[in-house]
Amino acid sequence: MSRTTGSTSSAHATGPATSPATGPAADPARAVDTDVIVVGAGPTGLLLAGDLAASGHSVTLVERRSGETSNLTRALVVHARTLEQLDARGLAEELIAVGHPVDRLRLFGHATLDPTRLPTRFPFVLVTPQFQVERLLEARARKAGVVFRHGAKVTALRQDAEGAEVDLDEGASGVSTLRGRYLVGTDGVHSTIREALGLPFPGKSVIRSIVLADVRLSDPPASPFAVAATDRAFALAAPFGDGWYRVMGWSRDRQLPDGEPVELDEVKDFTRRALGTDFGMHDPRWMSRFHSDERQAPSYRVGRAFLAGDAAHVHSPAGGQGMNTGLQDAANLSWKLSMVLQGRSPESLLDTYETERHPVGKQVLRSSGAIIRLAIMTAPGSALLRTLTAGAVNRIRPLGRRAMRTISGLSFAYATPDGAHPLAGKRAPDLALASGRLYEALREGRFVLVTPRGSIRAREEDPRVVHAEYARGGKHTLLIRPDGHIAWAADGEPTAAALRQALTAWTGPETTA
């Protein structure tokens, strides 16, 4: 099985952590305070913590911010694969209700992708600010029992063979130590956890002096997601839904350091250059300048500590893939941690988080980087190259569909061992089942076993899985992971021995508590 075949490198060793990367070893005699410590209450950390708590594990989420979730966030787009993950948690419809589904995604120049033909229940791009995603996930995490420690800064990290612990500076409340069986750093591009683990973050800045502004518009765009680019500038404008608009853009003629203040006239200028109008923008409540990096940690795991989201990888903003990739990291890691904590799976299952998600992070770096480089390149003939590329994307339907499937996250599949069924590792579509839909069945947080109609074994009780039959026509037996990827498959109805072996390999022995 793919989940147990990876070798464990020295970076993943689970013995006492005595290297400079992790500091002195923790005290194994110290009592565990929580099953999992999650550091960073952005979307990735909130989804991960909520998943684990919903599965019955104790989770403490540490966040250095003291107040409520900020609405001054950069991400604006939720793609189809992320909506499927939210659907598997009963959250998709609530998020869609506060967002704006759009049926076109403009990349650069006149290159436009069409999501309406995506093979998913969500054939659109949802425009909604990151803080809406965070509010939804935070409410779920609190309801599931996650303990929040706001205003707590990690100052030290230690590990041993049984757990990981952090020292927390909580201001007026003093300094405390928190110990968990595992720890996950979801604390962003400037990750304290990544630094404490001694992991480098190689890469470079791909574009500088990107400007963000929240403004009012006297003459809003007809489309809820206006975006365009020229040789000299690009801009996008998207609504928050409360009368405010997020405007993001860049001008080749105004390349300033991050700390330089932003004036409203600058925002109007690059918006007019790219979109032909500034929409009568006025009354800015917030403006900021930043640069975009392309970086990826070489490892996502060191002992009992993991990295996810921007702590593990950062990308250019092209295609809006950053937040989505982090949320899918969390969906991959959460069920694996749960299986190991329950004693149903060996520790080696956790190595597959990196072997599956690191290549995805690398691919997102490449695809988003290619888009932004093509948009801003100035070499001779670059304008013609943009025109030709845009024409190819728009005219050659298979090329456009492939690009949209990649950006949406639907095309990602995980590697499997030689001899595995061709469906293994692939994303499972939202199959019609006799009892409803697949992603409704996944809401129990367990593996789902889907069998052809009339299968005897589909009616056998097994607490390790949710049993379901196809509503009609299905010919394969599928064992589907909690993250919606196919763990194991067989043509038709497998033998009892083959099914028993697959269930034991992926979900543990039937007698496991």
Side-chain angles (χ1 to χ4, degrees):
M1 293 296 125
S2 61
R3 67 189 186 89
T4 59
T5 55
S7 61
T8 303
S9 67
S10 59
H12 294 171
T14 56
T18 58
S19 70
T22 54
D27 178 7
R30 189 180 187 281
V32 171
D33 303 299
T34 186
D35 287 333
V36 181
I37 303 168
V38 179
V39 181
T44 301
L46 290 167
L47 180 69
L48 178 71
D51 281 1
L52 289 165
S55 295
H57 307 293
S58 58
V59 184
T60 301
L61 201 159
V62 176
E63 170 56 52
R64 65 188 304 166
R65 293 176 297 178
S66 299
E68 295 181 357
T69 300
S70 171
N71 66 352
L72 307 179
T73 49
R74 296 174 185 171
L76 288 169
V77 169
V78 179
H79 285 298
R81 184 55 178 158
T82 302
L83 288 171
E84 290 182 342
Q85 296 290 359
L86 295 175
D87 189 25
R89 294 156 177 80
L91 301 174
E93 298 299 333
E94 187 174 349
L95 186 64
I96 293 169
V98 297
H100 299 272
V102 298
D103 60 4
R104 293 291 185 273
L105 181 64
R106 181 75 65 82
L107 298 181
F108 55 85
H110 297 289
T112 303
L113 298 180
D114 177 7
T116 62
R117 300 177 67 87
L118 288 172
T120 175
R121 189 165 176 258
F122 308 103
F124 50 82
V125 175
L126 185 69
V127 178
T128 191
Q130 178 179 321
F131 72 81
Q132 296 285 17
V133 179
E134 291 181 355
R135 286 175 179 173
L136 187 68
L137 294 175
E138 181 175 342
R140 171 181 180 253
R142 290 188 181 279
K143 184 176 180 180
V146 173
V147 175
F148 283 74
R149 299 274 289 268
H150 281 284
K153 180 182 178 181
V154 174
T155 59
L157 165 64
R158 297 174 294 277
Q159 296 193 65
D160 57 54
E162 303 299 325
E165 62 188 40
V166 290
D167 291 340
L168 301 178
D169 181 350
E170 299 182 84
S173 299
V175 177
S176 61
T177 297
L178 180 67
R179 179 173 173 82
R181 301 187 189 280
Y182 293 96
L183 178 145
V184 186
T186 61
D187 50 341
V189 61
H190 302 296
S191 171
T192 299
I193 299 303
R194 186 185 63 242
E195 182 178 350
L197 293 173
L199 288 171
F201 206 35
K204 60 184 178 181
S205 294
V206 63
I207 184 170
R208 310 191 73 85
S209 201
I210 302 173
V211 171
L212 296 177
D214 289 353
V215 297
R216 300 277 192 183
L217 301 181
S218 298
D219 185 20
S223 167
F225 189 67
V227 57
T230 68
D231 290 349
R232 310 302 300 179
F234 69 75
L236 67 83
F240 285 120
D242 58 359
W244 290 96
Y245 278 75
R246 165 62 50 81
V247 176
M248 182 176 76
W250 170 88
S251 172
R252 189 180 303 281
D253 300 323
R254 193 164 177 80
Q255 297 292 291
L256 300 175
D258 290 357
E260 287 294 315
V262 179
E263 300 293 337
L264 184 60
D265 284 344
E266 179 182 357
V267 183
K268 290 181 176 181
D269 179 68
F270 66 65
T271 306
R272 285 194 296 265
R273 290 187 183 205
L275 289 164
T277 175
D278 62 21
F279 305 110
M281 65 179 67
H282 59 91
D283 293 333
R285 65 178 177 184
W286 175 73
M287 296 185 291
S288 180
R289 192 186 311 276
F290 72 100
H291 67 277
S292 177
D293 286 354
E294 290 178 343
R295 300 183 184 277
Q296 186 176 28
S299 297
Y300 287 8
R301 180 186 184 189
V302 177
R304 287 181 168 254
F306 301 81
L307 298 177
D310 286 355
H313 47 75
V314 292
H315 326 93
S316 91
Q321 299 172 82
M323 177 180 68
N324 291 269
T325 305
L327 288 168
Q328 291 158 38
D329 288 346
N332 183 287
L333 180 58
S334 62
W335 71 267
K336 295 175 180 178
L337 279 170
S338 181
M339 293 289 288
V340 173
L341 286 166
Q342 291 176 54
R344 288 189 172 274
S345 294
E347 177 88 9
S348 57
L349 174 64
L350 298 176
D351 288 335
T352 69
Y353 165 63
E354 178 178 316
T355 59
E356 291 182 346
R357 294 305 299 173
H358 197 278
V360 172
K362 182 177 292 186
Q363 186 172 342
V364 173
L365 254 74
R366 290 174 177 171
S367 61
S368 62
I371 294 169
I372 201 69
R373 284 174 173 81
L374 186 57
I376 67 174
M377 67 186 302
T378 58
S382 58
L384 176 60
L385 179 59
R386 276 191 290 270
T387 299
L388 293 174
T389 304
V393 169
N394 295 338
R395 286 194 319 273
I396 304 173
R397 291 184 178 180
L399 179 61
R401 285 197 294 267
R402 180 178 178 182
M404 189 67 246
R405 284 174 63 92
T406 297
I407 291 174
S408 70
L410 297 181
S411 67
F412 293 124
Y414 299 138
T416 56
D418 292 341
H421 192 280
L423 292 176
K426 291 182 169 58
R427 156 196 165 266
D430 193 17
L431 301 170
L433 307 176
S435 55
R437 299 185 292 110
L438 171 61
Y439 282 78
E440 290 174 332
L442 286 169
R443 291 174 187 175
E444 294 193 31
R446 292 187 286 161
F447 280 74
V448 177
L449 178 65
V450 182
T451 59
R453 295 296 296 270
S455 167
I456 294 175
R457 278 181 286 280
R459 294 191 293 270
E460 294 176 354
E461 290 297 326
D462 190 329
R464 294 173 295 179
V465 297
V466 176
H467 290 266
E469 290 184 333
Y470 292 101
R472 56 190 174 275
K475 297 180 179 179
H476 298 99
T477 297
L478 304 175
L479 182 61
I480 299 169
R481 306 176 352 174
D483 62 359
H485 281 260
I486 298 170
W488 174 88
D491 296 326
E493 187 174 356
T495 65
L499 181 58
R500 189 181 308 112
Q501 182 180 20
L503 289 173
T504 300
W506 282 98
T507 66
E510 191 170 0
T511 56
T512 300

